[in-house]
Amino acid sequence: MIEALVQGLGVILQPHYLSFLFGGVILGVMFGAMPAIGALTGVAIVLPFVFDLDLHTAVPLLLGLAAVTSTADTIPAVFFGIPGSAGAQASILDGYPMAQKGEAGRALGAAFTASAIGGLFGVAFLTVSIPVLRSIVLAFGAPEFFMLCMMGVVLIGVLSSGAPIKGIIVGGLGLLIGCIGMSPVTSELRWSFGQIYLWDGIHVIPVALGIFAIVEVVDLLVKGTTIADVPAEGVKGRGVGFRDTLKNWWLVIRCSALGAFVGFLPGLGATFSQWLVYGHAVQSSKNRENFGKGDVRGVIAPDAATNATMAGAVVPTIAFGIPGNATLALLLSAFLVAGVVPGPEMLTTNLDLTVIMIWSIAIANILAAGICFCLVNQLARISLVPIHRLASIVLVFVLIGSIQVTHSWGDVVVLISFSILGWFMKRFGWPRPPLLIGLILSRLSEKYLWISIGAYGASWLYRPLTIVIFVLVVAVVVLFVRIRPGRHGEGGAK
Amino acid sequence: MKFRGEWVLYLFLLALLVVMLARVPDFNYSDRWLPSIIGIPTILLLLWGFGRDIIKSRHQQNKQGEVRQQILDITADTSIPIRALIPRVTNASMWVLGLILAVWLVGFPAGAPLFALLYIKIAGHEDWKISLALTALVALIVAGLFDQALNMMWPPSLLERWLGF
C-alpha cells in the first residue's frame, strides 16, 4: 500500500496530471463561490468534456472540482448569509454574524484552515480504510453486490428529502430508465419505442444536466439580478482565523472524524454531517452562549466536517460501487463509461487509480485553501455578477455538454425532457439525486442480478450476507417511513 | 378537496410507469427480472403515496408552494408567488429553447454566439460594449475551443442539411 501511495504521488505530481488537478480546483472554487451551482451541478457540467480523457487524467480534474466546492461555499455563506451549497448551511449560523461584526476575514481564515485539515483527515481515513476494505470486499459476491446496489438507491432515496417514499419511487424510476435500450444480458431492445437513439439507452449526462444544471440556471434567471444582493466587504484578520483553528485542534479532529464516518454511510453526506458536528460543537463546549451569535467554533466545526465527508464518501464508491453522494454518482458514471467497475478491482488491479483519487483529494484541499486565502475578495465578487451574463455562457456549456455523448439531437430532447421533470420535482420537493443514482446503478444491478440467478438459482436469496443487507435495507425503509413523517410531515415542509 | 399541482407529477409518473410495465411481459425471460423486481414495487408505492396525498389533502389544506426541506438536493425558493413565477419561468424557458432552436437551425458555431448576443442585449439590457464582449467570449469558446481546438463533432444543423453539407 505504501509503495502504491509513493508511486501515485509520483504520478500526480507530473505536470500533466497536476495541471488538470489545478484546473479542477479552480473550477471547484468558482462553482463553490457561486450559490446554487455547487459540486453536483459543477461536475455535471464538466463531466461530458472529460469522457475523451483517460481516467487517470479525468479523475484529478473531477475530484479536484468536487472535493473543494465545500471549501469555497463558505465565502457566500459568510459574506451574504447564502450557502454556496447545501453543505454550507451551518456555517451561516456563526459565519454571517461574524461578518456583520466585521470579522469576515477571521471567519473565512478559520473556515479555510479547518476545511483543509478536515479534507486531509478524510484522506487519511480513506487511506487507512483500503487495507481493511480489501478483505471485506473480496468476501462479497454478485448477490451481495446486487443487494448493495439496491441499498444505495434506497438509502439515498429515503435520506435525501423529508419524503422517503417519494425518494424510493424516484430511485426506482431511475433504475427503470436505466433499463431502456439494449439489454446487457440478451441484447434485446427494451422500451426503445422504435427510436434508434434509445437503442444505447438514456445516458446519464443529458439527464444530470437536465434535472440539475438547466433547472438551477432557470431558477437563477427567474430570480433575476445577481446571485447575492449585497456587496461584500473586504476581509482582514485571516491570520487570526488560522490561529483560531489551530487553537481548537481537538475540535477539528473530532469533527473531521465524525464527518469522514458520515461520508462513509451512503446517502448521508455533508448536509447531515455539518449539523451533526455543529450540535456536537455546541454540546461539548463549556461556554456555549456565543454559538449562533458569531462564535468561530461554529464555523470551524462544520467546515472541518464537510471536507472530511467528501473523502469519506469515496470509500463506498470505490469499494462497493455505491456512490456516497450524488456528485460521486457522476464520477462513478465516468468509471463505468471507461470500463472500470468499482469493487474488488479498485483495491487490486486498479489500485493505482484509487491512489490517484486519494492524492487528488489531499492536494486539492491544500490548493483550495491556499487559493481561497489569497483570492477571497475576488471570489466573493462572482456572486455579484449579473446572472444573465453568467447564464449565457453556462447555458452554452450545458448544451454542448449534453450533445457530447452521442452527438445527436436525441440528447437535446432528453435534456429538455428531464429539465421539465427536474423543475417540477424541485418545485414539489421530490428529491432528484435518487433518479441519477438509480440510472447509474441500473446496468450494474442488472448484471449482478443476472449473475446471481445464473450462478446460484433461487439460493442467492439465502446467502447470509445477502440476508443481512436485505434486512438492513428493509429496516432503514421502515425506520424512515415510520419515523420521519411524524417529525417533518411527509406531506409538508418542516 | 382542492386540486394540488403536485398531482400532475404523480399522474405523469403513474402513466409513465404503466406504459413501461405494460411492455415488460413482451421481454425475454431474463430481461424481465430487473424491470419486474423494481417496477412493480415502485408503481405500488406511487399509488400508495398518491392515495395518501389525496386523503391528506381532504383533512388539511397545504399552503400554496409548500416544499419539503431537501437534504441532498437544493430546495426550491418558494418566496416568489406562483402568479409571478409562471411568467418568469416561461420567459426563462423560452430563452433556453431559443438557444436550442438557434443551434438546431444554424449550428453551434453560429447559433450559440447569436443567442448570447440577443439574450444579453434584450433580456439582460446590457450596453453594446458588454454584449459584444460576452458574445465574442462565447464565440471564442464554441468556435475556438470546441470546434477548432477540440475538433468537436456537432450534430448537423437544419441549414447544413438544406445546403447539403
Side-chain angles (χ1 to χ4, degrees), chain A residues 435-476:
Chain A
L435 180 81
L436 209 57
I437 287 162
L439 179 61
I440 290 165
L441 290 182
S442 182
R443 297 259 151 172
L444 212 56
S445 306
E446 187 154 29
K447 197 185 86 180
Y448 287 136
L449 179 67
W450 184 72
I451 295 171
S452 301
I453 296 175
Y456 304 102
S459 68
W460 74 273
L461 287 164
Y462 313 129
R463 284 164 66 97
L465 261 173
T466 312
I467 294 170
V468 169
I469 302 166
F470 181 75
V471 169
L472 271 174
V473 174
V474 174
V476 167

Side-chain angles (χ1 to χ4, degrees), chain A residues 175-483:
Chain A
L175 283 166
L176 290 176
I177 291 172
C179 292
I180 292 174
M182 212 174 277
S183 155
V185 181
T186 63
S187 299
E188 186 193 9
L189 291 173
R190 293 180 298 190
W191 296 316
S192 63
F193 302 102
Q195 298 295 316
I196 295 171
Y197 172 79
L198 292 175
W199 284 16
D200 280 341
I202 290 185
H203 204 278
V204 69
I205 294 303
V207 175
L209 288 169
I211 62 168
F212 288 106
I214 292 274
V215 172
E216 297 315 323
V217 172
V218 165
D219 275 359
L220 284 172
L221 291 175
V222 166
K223 195 182 158 217
T225 63
T226 55
I227 293 171
D229 304 322
V230 285
E233 290 171 13
V235 287
K236 283 177 187 166
R238 278 167 278 183
V240 179
F242 174 76
R243 285 192 291 277
D244 280 333
T245 305
L246 297 185
K247 218 184 286 174
N248 288 291
W249 64 273
W250 181 229
L251 177 70
V252 176
I253 298 294
R254 285 192 330 259
C255 294
S256 303
L258 278 170
F261 180 69
V262 169
F264 176 73
L265 305 171
L268 296 173
T271 319
F272 177 76
S273 69
Q274 60 170 330
W275 291 113
L276 178 77
V277 299
Y278 189 85
H280 169 71
V282 175
Q283 270 188 334
S284 60
S285 301
K286 284 175 189 164
N287 48 341
R288 57 184 79 162
E289 63 276 3
N290 281 333
F291 275 97
K293 296 172 193 163
D295 193 312
V296 75
R297 291 170 298 175
V299 179
I300 291 170
D303 273 275
T306 48
N307 281 46
T309 303
M310 186 62 186
V314 172
V315 178
T317 312
I318 57 171
F320 304 110
I322 303 171
N325 56 42
T327 310
L328 286 172
L330 287 176
L331 189 77
L332 185 64
S333 75
F335 280 13
L336 296 176
V337 166
V340 174
V341 181
E345 284 182 9
M346 290 300 287
L347 310 172
T348 50
T349 47
N350 288 323
L351 186 63
D352 57 334
L353 197 59
T354 306
V355 169
I356 282 183
M357 292 172 81
I358 291 171
W359 283 118
S360 297
I361 299 172
I363 297 170
N365 271 290
I366 297 166
L367 281 175
I371 291 167
C372 287
F373 248 104
C374 300
L375 300 175
V376 62
N377 283 340
Q378 287 73 12
L379 288 167
R381 287 198 192 107
I382 294 174
S383 293
L384 299 170
V385 175
I387 188 59
H388 56 265
R389 291 188 194 167
L390 286 176
S392 55
I393 297 168
V394 172
L395 279 174
V396 169
F397 266 101
V398 167
L399 194 58
I400 293 174
S402 72
I403 61 126
Q404 263 280 59
V405 182
T406 62
H407 308 287
S408 142
W409 291 112
D411 290 329
V412 178
V413 175
V414 172
L415 178 84
I416 298 169
S417 310
F418 279 90
S419 309
I420 297 167
L421 180 64
W423 191 84
F424 280 104
M425 287 172 77
K426 185 183 174 188
R427 186 74 202 164
F428 296 125
W430 286 59
R432 293 171 291 174
L435 180 81
L436 209 57
I437 287 162
L439 179 61
I440 290 165
L441 290 182
S442 182
R443 297 259 151 172
L444 212 56
S445 306
E446 187 154 29
K447 197 185 86 180
Y448 287 136
L449 179 67
W450 184 72
I451 295 171
S452 301
I453 296 175
Y456 304 102
S459 68
W460 74 273
L461 287 164
Y462 313 129
R463 284 164 66 97
L465 261 173
T466 312
I467 294 170
V468 169
I469 302 166
F470 181 75
V471 169
L472 271 174
V473 174
V474 174
V476 167
V477 173
V478 171
L479 194 74
F480 272 81
V481 170
R482 288 183 71 87
I483 293 174

Side-chain angles (χ1 to χ4, degrees), chain A residues 70 73-75 77-78 81 83 86-98 107 111 274-275 278 295 298-304 306:
Chain A
S70 52
D73 64 8
T74 314
I75 296 171
V78 168
Q89 290 163 353
S91 306
I92 294 174
L93 290 185
D94 285 282
Y96 192 49
M98 283 180 80
Q274 60 170 330
W275 291 113
Y278 189 85
D295 193 312
V299 179
I300 291 170
D303 273 275
T306 48

Side-chain angles (χ1 to χ4, degrees), chain A residues 42-56:
Chain A
V43 171
I45 291 171
V46 173
L47 191 60
F49 306 108
V50 303
F51 276 143
D52 291 337
L53 300 173
D54 73 294
L55 262 185
H56 292 74

